[in-house]
Amino acid sequence: TVSRCGMVYVEPSQIGWEPLLTSWLNTLPEPAKPFADKLRNLFGWLVPPCTRFVVKECKSMLSVGIPMTDEVNRVRSLMTLMEALLFPALNDEARAAEIGQRLELWLENLFLFALVWAIAGIIDGASRPKFDAFLRQVAAGQPPAGYEQVDGTFGEAARWGSFLPAEATCFEYVFDQAKHTWKPWMETITREESQISPTAEFSSIIVPTLDTARYTALLHTLLDYNRPLLYVGPTGTGKTAYVQRHILSLPAEQWSSAFVNFSAQTSANQAQDIIDAKVDKRRKGVFGPPLGRRLAVFVDDLNMPSLEVYGAQPPIELLRQWMDHGGWFDRKENSFRKIVDLTFVAAMGPPGGGRNPVTPRYMRHFNIIAYTAFDDASMQRIFQTILEWWLRKEQFGADYMRMATSVVGATIDAYKESIANLLPTPSKSHYTFNLRDVARVVQGLLLTNVEDYTGPSDMIMAWCHELNRVFYDRLTDMDDCAWFREMLVGLCTKHFQQPVSKLFEERGLPLGSTGDVDDDSLRRLIYCNFAVPKGKRTYRRVESTEGLQSTMSTFLDDYNAVSSKPMKLVLFLFAMEHVCRISRVLQMPRGNVLLAGVGGSGRQSATRLAAYICDMDVFTIEVSKSYSMADWREDLKAVLRLAGMQGKGTVFLFADTQVKDEAYLEDINGLLNAGEVPNLFPADEKAQICDGVREAARQNEREGDGSMTTMFAYFVERCRDLLHICLAMSPIGDAFRRRLRMFPSLINCCTIDWFRAWPADALDAVASTFLEEVEMETDVRSSVVEMCKTFQIQTRDLAEKFGREERRMAYVTPTSYLELIQTFQTVLAEKRREVDLVRRRYDNGLDQLNGAAEAVVKMQEELTDLKPKLVVAKEETETMQVQIDKEVKEVIEPKKEVVQAEEAATNEVAMRAKGMKEECEADLAEAIPALNSAIKALDTIKKADIDLVKNMGSPPAGVKLTLEAICVMKDVKPDKVKDPDNPAKSLLDYFGPGKKLLMDSKAFVDSLKSYDKDNIPPKIIKVIREQYCTNDDFLPEKIAKASSACEGLCKWVRAMEIYDRVAKVVAPKKEKLKEAEAEYAEAMAGLSVKQAELKEVMDKLAAMEDKLKELAQTKEELEAKYEDCNAKLERAEKLMSGLGGEKQRWGEISASLGPKYDRLVGDVLLSSAVIAYLGPFTIPFRREAIAGWQRLCDEKQVPMSERFDLQEIVGDPVAIRGWNLQGLPTDSFSIDNGIIISVARRWPLMIDPQGQANKWIRKKEAEAGLLVIKLTQSDYLRTLENAIQFGKPVLCENVLEALDPALEPLLVKQTFKQGGVECIRLGDATIEYSREFKFYITSKLRNPHYLPELQVKVTLLNFMITPAGLEDQLLGIVVSQERPDLAEEKSRLVLEAAANKKQLKEIEDQILEVLSSGEGGSILEDATAINILTAAKTLGNEISEKQQVAEETEIKIDEARAGYKPVAYRTSLLFFCIASLADIDPMYQYSLEWFINLFVRAIADSEPSADLPVRLENLNSFFQDFLYRNICRSLFERDKLSFSMLLCAALLMGYDRLDADEWRQLLTGGVLLNADKAPRNPQPWLDDKLWESVLTVAQLPAFSELPAKIAENGEAYRAFLEHPEPHLAYDCLPEYVQSMSAFQKLLVLRTLRLDKLVPGISQFVAGELGQRYIEPPPFDLEGTFQDSSSTTPLIFILSPGVDPMLSLLKFAESKGRKVDSISLGQGQGPHAEQLVASGQKEGYWIVLQNC
């Protein structure tokens, strides 16, 4: 652009500001125009010197513009302020007339006032007194030296009508326009403004001060005059509070307001949307606030937006567009929107520390006022006023009131001391303090209650506690803590005249060993409002930590009872401290907390418990892969509605692991700062919210005008008061530091609680709690607890050393400690069960073998005794059988026949009698039920019913009829009475006699029951049968209608009739039955005699048969016993012959298992520590840790094995051999990693740059259906879901340093029961969780930095290949290429050996299992078991023989293979050498696969030889040279000699020809220890720096005499030092150096002539490896092409100006290949893909340029 235009440069200093002044004077109101010359003179006289003084002698908060225009901008501000002060009054005729004659005085004083605030208003507090003195001198016409004639001055000194009073600085006076005189700003504060309402909230209190008066007045003046104003000042000086308060107090009918909070992430679009939401359309293209109003826009943290790539700040550029052009473009319609009636007010901190300088083009529009930091008097006034207001309100006594001054003074001193001494550093970026911290201390004191104070000293303790909470809790290291405690002691002595130690001692708080307050003392100073479980909750000091623990445990139990995610917490002191700290913040309105600590330190658990104790809901987001910004905003709406609409105390728990987008923190920053996120709620939702809070606003008398603006402001206020944001962030890495810088509210608006590493008492408490149920001796348990604690502390130190020396980050967190303890519990229980089971099996096997041996002798004796007994038993049995046969034939059979005949005759008689009896019973079956029914009916008759019948005067017909029947049955005569129809006749009346029968109701019923039913007179029964039973009215159901009593009587009469009728028929049959029964009795008597005789005979026979049976049983038992003995003898012989040889081995194993069981505690403890801690560490660090832990075990007397081996303790030999066959390297490091994977509870994340773990997992899990995913795949979650449901293993490969947050539930195994099924939530889906599922993660990164938040969720393993593992692989490769027969046979034998050992193990397990199944009895009893054991042992013997042969063969093969070990060893050295090149440049990374392919090619291409040593030499030299050429091709020229030296050093150290310390000395130069004790330089020609180098190298044993030699023979060394080519002049040195090795001579050269080290190294490498290793081969395109393939492309890394395209085209032409190329850039990706596909199909070359 510049080259195409003619440019004219305007020098600002040539124009100056005088033309601007002339123009401005022309705009003066008419009354002021006569004084234009006076104003010009004042400008020309005072502005230049004052501006120069401010720039040269004062410190400004920021520069207004570029230096050339800075003065112009200040003058423009001066004019603007004068306009705002003067023009409104002069444009008002009435006011102008009132001023009248005083106008000149006005102009002078208003100019002076404007001069102070426009020219010097931007300087800091320390510079203001200097400016005041200077101004007074200049105004008096006596400028100081150097300012007598300032450039640009064109006015003359004049006399003042009224000048500033001298009692204070010019910044402390204001010109009173009403009284036309100067007065102090403090006099403008009214009495009402100074008073605090008794109901005021702490956050709403503003104490009027000098600053509030002057800054608010300036704001009011410029805002009324529609001029933008910018406040600049440090954080905590009240800029935001004062501006917001003033803007909100403006008349609602004239003003609207918009508040914009900038942060580092704020975009121009966000800023535009906020303001656009506040304006309405007035006409086409013109927008503004509602008609008749102005919109006051307050932009807070103006300079926070981060710079974009070209250095601009987009939000500020947008606002500048409005300032310059009156509007901005509509992003949807692309049309310009003119926005009117806006006035901007802004506030910001001084640039620096994350705040950026704002472009001068924007700054020039503002009047800028510096908010200076409060002086001590202002701070004292502010906070003392608040504290005294509270003390009076709470009715504290005079003693406490007097303490207010001391408390506030001590707090301010602590604040100032902290600023001065606790300086922010990269690791302590949160060490920034502002006045909010002082306010938090005072606010904390306001939480206490007057009833809980016993004396003024209690207030000192409360103050100490609050100071700790605000300042001490954020400290990160013990040095800072110690400094703070010293300061605390000093403050208490200075301000309260009280020694802190005495106050602590009086309250039973512990002191340190020196009697002073230490860290433990302050930790036990705890205040909370829930220490007393019953009664009023007041914020008081905790008297007993044990009581607090009990109370908190109750809360925890209650929480777990109602929570769907219960927490298993150990409430040790450390945890209780943090819960109390968080609950303290939650008690405060607008209290927010930043919890800084590594993952797993308990931040979220402590927050949840604290929230539950404070009766608040906890809200947190669930991040998934599909979680978007829209989801985030919906979650924000939900939590704001919860707090603001529903009025619930709510804790928003947000962790840095949930930050998918930094914009989340932008919104959090807004919530912390202003309580809202701009434009979060659309208009309809905002209206709904306003309706929702209206009732609450009415109840709290906050409804105001009821407008939506008022209601939403109330909603925001409720959100600020009730929503507590708890941020859980990790300080590891630069993200924490960057976020604190970008989002200042994270510090400014939060109380910081730094979660330090768990202290010793916390480690003790956790270990003791978890291990109390583990079976151990008391002293061993205490030692184990102590060791667990030591493991944690030592590994923490080891991790720091690992980071320093290896630059690899490993983190030791509380989760690691819990993992240690839980792994110890699990593995110990498992190994104890395993060892106990194996021991019992071997013991039982031995018992069975011993029992069998003893049983053989007994059984042989038993057989000898059994033979004669068996013969006798046979004879007795046969004799008894003969006797029985004779008795049966002669006696029993005849007798039996007689008895049987008589039994037949008797049975005939019995049958007849039985028939008669059945016939009688059948007849009676009809009458008996009726009779029983009648008797039951009689029982139902009640006395009352009978009395009712008796008392009837005129009874119903049914009653009469029933009594007649009764009288007939009882043979009672009737009375004769006259017929009422015909008195001449008489009637028979039964009712009267019947009533007489009823006189005694009980006797009457009893007479009926005992009625002689078998002898009823025939004449009676005849009457009943003929007159009553045939009468249809004489039925029970009809009679019941007349009387219930008569119903029963009716039933009785009818039953008697039925019974009589039946009895007449049955009686003759009964007579015949009696006769038959008599006949039967007589027959039976005769039969009984015969039967008795037969029984006697049969009993005799039975006795004989019993005897026979007994004899036969005895014989059978003897025979069975005999056979059993024989069988057992055979089994015993089989058992002894088969397993007898195992007896000794089993005995030895069993004897060793007892001590092994006892040693399990120590062995498993160390194994658990390895599993929990040592995964990320390399071999040397693992060995160092294990060695230290073993020594610790010995010291603590914890039983353990003499030699610790993880494989022997936890590993399964068969499984390990299987892993080796599947590709796991055979070195112990890799095997230990495999064991850790198999035992650890968390999923493994393997650092696997060489792909060893990846290959192993693929083969290991292939049969289980392994699924392989990458996080870059779009559907990887779907694959995971299927695998989890169906129990398939999954390998997630090639992960980077962060994992998808959607995987978190899977990593932490966050399963839950749903419908009785175990489920897990993954992403947006809830799926069934199979216990068969496995998850593996691998990373190809060489040195990834995994943050603690990730490390606590996985088992991090360093799977980088080891020298031993690589050597074994390379040996296999070289043998397979050189001797494929040996390799094939070795492979077959390895597989066969693995199968044999596995089968042998299974066979032994089977044998022991069978022997164990006979536990409690003899194995000889079980023939099947013996057969199984015999077959198993036979098979085992066969396999053992095969295995022995195979092992012998394998030894021979290994001997043959061992011949190639030198090649494998040397090649492994070369690989680790090139692997170290990545330390020089990260680009220099070479895969193991590439290296092995290169090695295989070298084997094929090297010169063959039948002589093995010659062949090995050929292989080594060819591959070394081949590798050198290939590596040099990929190195920058500057690094090729470094590679040669590294190659040489690696080979020398590999063959013990180079000392590692000497090599380190060459690389680093070393460090001189004890420099103060070092000998002085003996030679004047030797530079002190060189002498220090000599002393440093002399710390190596080989150079210990070098200083003395130089002192003795200085001239020889001087000659070497001054030689032009010392690397070729070693022969001029004395014999002492001549006798050194070539490398040691190189060290001498480095020490004395560092400038010649490079040629010295070249000479050294040439001497060791050859000249070709210092002369890198030139680039060879032909050779490079040969090394590539279709899947291994050539990548050219070009220097500027280099283009290999021409060479490539010529080479392709020589090969007859077509070449096509494409230059990559935006939009070229798809074209490149098409081109590659086409080349792949047609077989031509593709060149991708500008990659």
Side-chain angles (χ1 to χ4, degrees), residues 132-188:
D132 174 69
F134 174 80
L135 178 62
R136 292 178 187 275
Q137 285 179 291
V138 173
Q142 300 171 352
Y147 289 89
E148 295 88 351
Q149 186 63 41
V150 177
D151 292 344
T153 305
F154 54 84
E156 297 179 357
R159 292 177 60 84
W160 295 93
S162 171
F163 195 70
L164 287 160
E167 286 79 9
T169 67
C170 56
F171 296 93
E172 295 175 47
Y173 287 97
V174 60
F175 183 70
D176 188 342
Q177 296 183 6
K179 296 181 180 179
H180 315 291
T181 185
W182 292 96
K183 70 175 180 180
W185 280 109
M186 290 301 291
E187 292 182 10
T188 64

Side-chain angles (χ1 to χ4, degrees), residues 341-358:
D341 295 337
L342 262 64
T343 301
F344 277 85
V345 181
M348 68 185 218
R355 300 176 184 274
N356 302 297
V358 178

Side-chain angles (χ1 to χ4, degrees), residues 578-705:
H578 287 287
V579 172
C580 291
R581 291 175 190 177
I582 297 168
S583 69
R584 167 188 173 272
V585 177
L586 298 184
Q587 289 174 61
M588 297 180 178
R590 307 190 182 193
N592 305 295
V593 62
L594 171 61
L595 309 172
V598 298
S601 54
R603 298 163 302 172
Q604 298 193 41
S605 300
T607 302
R608 292 181 188 279
L609 182 55
Y612 180 77
I613 291 171
C614 295
D615 196 23
M616 294 182 182
D617 295 340
V618 176
F619 183 94
T620 187
I621 65 171
E622 290 186 12
V623 178
S624 64
K625 186 175 180 62
S626 60
Y627 191 83
S628 64
M629 194 66 192
D631 297 319
W632 163 252
R633 288 297 176 91
E634 288 302 318
D635 281 336
L636 283 186
K637 289 179 186 178
V639 72
L640 289 173
R641 286 193 183 100
L642 199 63
M645 271 182 73
Q646 300 179 28
K648 290 183 178 178
T650 305
V651 174
F652 183 17
L653 177 56
F654 183 74
D656 54 0
T657 55
Q658 297 170 323
V659 180
K660 282 189 73 176
D661 188 333
E662 292 295 315
Y664 295 1
L665 289 171
E666 167 81 9
D667 292 340
I668 292 286
N669 190 68
L671 284 176
L672 290 169
N673 204 16
E676 66 172 325
V677 176
N679 297 339
L680 179 64
F681 295 100
D684 57 333
E685 293 183 19
K686 191 176 285 189
Q688 182 185 2
I689 287 171
C690 292
D691 291 340
V693 300
R694 195 175 300 279
E695 181 58 33
R698 187 177 297 120
Q699 291 175 2
N700 291 313
E701 299 179 355
R702 297 292 304 279
E703 191 173 13
D705 58 3

Side-chain angles (χ1 to χ4, degrees), residues 1477-1534:
L1477 288 173
D1479 296 330
I1480 298 175
D1481 193 306
M1483 184 182 76
Y1484 301 158
Q1485 296 193 45
Y1486 305 91
S1487 72
L1488 180 62
E1489 185 179 358
W1490 172 85
F1491 181 82
I1492 287 174
N1493 289 337
L1494 209 64
F1495 182 51
V1496 171
R1497 280 188 56 195
I1499 293 171
D1501 295 348
S1502 59
E1503 184 180 347
S1505 173
D1507 187 359
L1508 184 60
V1510 173
R1511 174 60 178 155
L1512 297 182
E1513 180 59 33
N1514 292 344
L1515 272 174
N1516 283 335
S1517 60
F1518 183 84
F1519 179 65
Q1520 182 175 307
D1521 185 58
F1522 188 43
L1523 179 69
Y1524 175 74
R1525 284 187 279 112
N1526 272 273
I1527 295 296
C1528 277
R1529 185 187 298 146
S1530 62
L1531 298 180
F1532 292 122
E1533 198 66 32
R1534 66 174 184 267

